[in-house]
């Protein structure tokens, strides 16, 4: 894999981490249960993608 590809994947990893943190922050700030559930699901998706990307990068 090229250095550029690895850099792009690293940036994606950082973006997923940031999106996860933002969703978690919004969950803690809202009182609307439906919105909390939706944001929690989004956070879980970002966390899974973050972990997948990081695991891939660790192997390369």
């Amino acid at each position: 894999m090229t250095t550029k590809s690895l850099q792009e994947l690293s940036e994606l990893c950082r973006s997923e981490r940031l999106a996860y943190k933002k969703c978690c922050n919004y969950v803690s700030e809202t009182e609307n249960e439906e919105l909390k559930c939706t944001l929690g699901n989004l956070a879980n998706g970002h966390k899974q993608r973050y972990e997948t990307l990081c695991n891939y990068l660790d192997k390369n």
Side-chain angles (χ1 to χ4, degrees):
M1 182 171 286
T2 66
T3 302
K4 182 173 172 76
S5 294
L6 287 173
Q7 289 172 338
E8 290 171 350
L9 287 174
S10 284
E11 181 57 35
L12 276 173
C13 191
R14 285 188 292 275
S15 294
E16 289 294 342
R17 182 173 169 233
L18 178 61
Y20 168 71
K21 286 183 173 187
K22 284 183 175 184
C23 284
C24 289
N25 187 46
Y26 295 145
V27 166
S28 68
E29 290 181 358
T30 188
E31 295 179 14
N32 181 311
E33 290 303 317
E34 185 178 341
L35 186 55
K36 276 187 182 197
C37 183
T38 300
L39 289 167
N41 289 336
L42 288 171
N44 288 336
H46 287 298
K47 183 178 180 184
Q48 288 175 346
R49 284 186 293 279
Y50 167 74
E51 290 173 348
T52 300
L53 286 166
C54 287
N55 288 335
Y56 181 81
L57 288 171
D58 288 342
K59 292 177 183 175
N60 290 302

